């Protein structure tokens, strides 16, 4: 799936931006504000990677469902997910109504 490759690529790119990867990081004993900036940068990278990893898992589940032949079917109520929704959210596992209920 194209989407999966794209996300893996994104994760790689984001990880490269992690200031903690800087080999000087551990030894540079930089000013406090630099440390804070690096920490914030690192946290941002971690949050983004976490988000993308979650998306990747959802895509994998969608792929498994596709193989099983129930892709596009709501996992909760069994209704078919509208094509328009699948185009917007290819990894959607629930119909709009269920998604709304689950988010509450
Ligand atoms: Zn549903």
């Amino acid at each position: 799936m194209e989407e999966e490759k794209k996300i893996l690529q994104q994760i790689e790119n984001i990880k490269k931006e992690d200031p903690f990867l800087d080999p000087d990081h551990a030894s540079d004993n930089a000013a406090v504000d630099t440390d804070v900036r690096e920490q914030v940068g690192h946290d941002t990278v971690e949050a983004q990677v976490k988000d993308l990893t979650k998306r990747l898992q959802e895509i994998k589940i969608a792929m498994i469902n596709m193989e099983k032949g129930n892709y596009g079917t709501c996992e909760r109520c069994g209704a078919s997910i509208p094509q328009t929704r699948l185009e917007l959210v290819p990894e959607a596992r629930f119909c709009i109504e269920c998604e709304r209920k689950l988010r509450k």
Side-chain angles (χ1 to χ4, degrees), residues 74 76-79 94-95 97-98:
C74 174
R76 192 167 171 269
C77 72
F94 306 104
C95 68
E97 208 156 299
C98 289

Side-chain angles (χ1 to χ4, degrees), residues 16-61:
K16 277 183 215 148
E17 283 168 29
D18 192 339
F20 279 20
L21 284 180
D22 187 342
D24 294 333
H25 170 74
S27 56
D28 66 359
N29 262 333
V32 174
D33 63 329
T34 309
D35 272 351
V36 168
R37 206 169 53 228
E38 283 179 347
Q39 183 64 52
V40 170
H42 175 72
D43 289 349
T44 309
V45 166
E46 276 207 324
Q48 282 175 316
V49 168
K50 218 173 125 190
D51 273 1
L52 287 169
T53 308
K54 198 175 153 234
R55 217 175 130 77
L56 203 61
Q57 275 167 351
E58 280 168 0
I59 288 170
K60 280 192 180 145
I61 291 167

Side-chain angles (χ1 to χ4, degrees), residues 85-98:
R85 174 161 162 74
L86 289 174
E87 276 164 23
L88 280 167
V89 195
E91 71 276 22
R93 290 160 59 197
F94 306 104
C95 68
I96 295 168
E97 208 156 299
C98 289

